[in-house]
Amino acid sequence: EAQVTQNPRYLITVTGKKLTVTCSQNMNHEYMSWYRQDPGLGLRQIYYSMNVEVTDKGDVPEGYKVSRKEKRNFPLILESPSPNQTSLYFCASSFQGGNQPQHFGDGTRLSIL
Amino acid sequence: RKEVEQDPGPFNVPEGATVAFNCTYSNSASQSFFWYRQDCRKEPKLLMSVYSSGNEDGRFTAQLNRASQYISLLIRDSKLSDSATYLCVVNREGRRALTFGSGTRLQVQP
């Protein structure tokens, strides 16, 4: 089954404790992206990757890091999480390029206390 | 001005009604347009792409007006299962990314 898998689905943690949210897709997609969704603000792009070893900032990259060492994986790293990063996070992928329809993972709800 | 603007709603309509949403976008160079559906805090799912000549998928019709920079979604014969938030999505020319509107909430009532 074609899918984008995120882990964990839910996480409650404390300020400053490094965390990683994993994202994996099995569709051989070149393009992957991370979004956060907050009430009233909609989906905002954090980082995206056009292909292996090619990443770029989205609209709200501060406080986040990503890597793309393999085509299927695109982890999101919060080196020192803060309460303003409490949000619902989605990973997405598309075959080629960000201007194509994207497939989304189920989402990760992060709470930073 | 936001890149993509939508009326947040909610639109409350009875079953069987026809409802239409509009969405305006600011980047005249945008080339790709989509409607996504999102159920309560679940992942967005592609509803349909929007083509220049307009397109239909069952009860759903999408239109694009490049001159006025808006896209629309028409839902005929609304079902209870159509209750969701509908996201207008436009690509960013040169950024190779998609911009999502904040969504329009539809509530279909029995």
Side-chain angles (χ1 to χ4, degrees), chain A residues 62-112:
Chain A
E62 296 77 21
Y64 304 95
K65 285 174 57 178
V66 293
S67 68
R68 188 89 181 274
K69 293 182 169 52
E70 305 165 285
K71 199 171 188 179
R72 64 181 294 129
N73 296 324
F74 190 45
L76 179 69
I77 303 155
L78 284 71
E79 293 270 5
S80 183
S82 62
N84 64 12
Q85 293 177 299
T86 293
S87 187
L88 177 58
Y89 291 84
F90 289 105
C91 179
S93 71
S94 66
F95 182 58
Q96 243 181 3
N99 57 349
Q100 295 181 342
Q102 294 178 16
H103 299 261
F104 282 79
D106 289 341
T108 296
R109 191 173 291 279
L110 280 184
S111 293
I112 316 293

Side-chain angles (χ1 to χ4, degrees), chain B residues 10-14 80 82-84 105-109:
Chain B
F11 284 56
N12 295 305
V13 302
L80 293 175
D82 293 334
S83 298
R105 188 164 149 239
L106 172 66
Q107 186 67 44
V108 181
Q109 295 165 339

Side-chain angles (χ1 to χ4, degrees), chain A residues 37 48 59 98-99 102 105, chain B residues 36 38 43 92 95-96 98:
Chain A
Q37 187 172 35
Y48 66 97
D59 297 308
N99 57 349
Q102 294 178 16
Chain B
Y36 276 71
Q38 185 174 27
E43 78 276 19
R92 293 177 179 178
R95 278 290 311 276
R96 305 178 111 179
L98 296 176

Side-chain angles (χ1 to χ4, degrees), chain A residues 31 35 37-43 45 48 50 57-59 88 90 97-102 104-106 109, chain B residues 2-3 31-32 34 36 38 41-46 49 87 91-102:
Chain A
Y31 181 96
Y35 298 88
Q37 187 172 35
D38 302 289
L41 297 177
L43 280 156
Q45 191 179 48
Y48 66 97
M50 297 298 293
K57 295 177 181 179
D59 297 308
L88 177 58
F90 289 105
N99 57 349
Q100 295 181 342
Q102 294 178 16
F104 282 79
D106 289 341
R109 191 173 291 279
Chain B
K2 286 185 180 179
E3 289 188 57
Q31 295 294 322
S32 302
F34 310 96
Y36 276 71
Q38 185 174 27
R41 302 304 265 176
K42 292 196 172 181
E43 78 276 19
K45 293 183 179 177
L46 178 69
S49 300
L87 307 176
N91 87 299
R92 293 177 179 178
E93 188 65 21
R95 278 290 311 276
R96 305 178 111 179
L98 296 176
T99 301
F100 287 76
S102 298

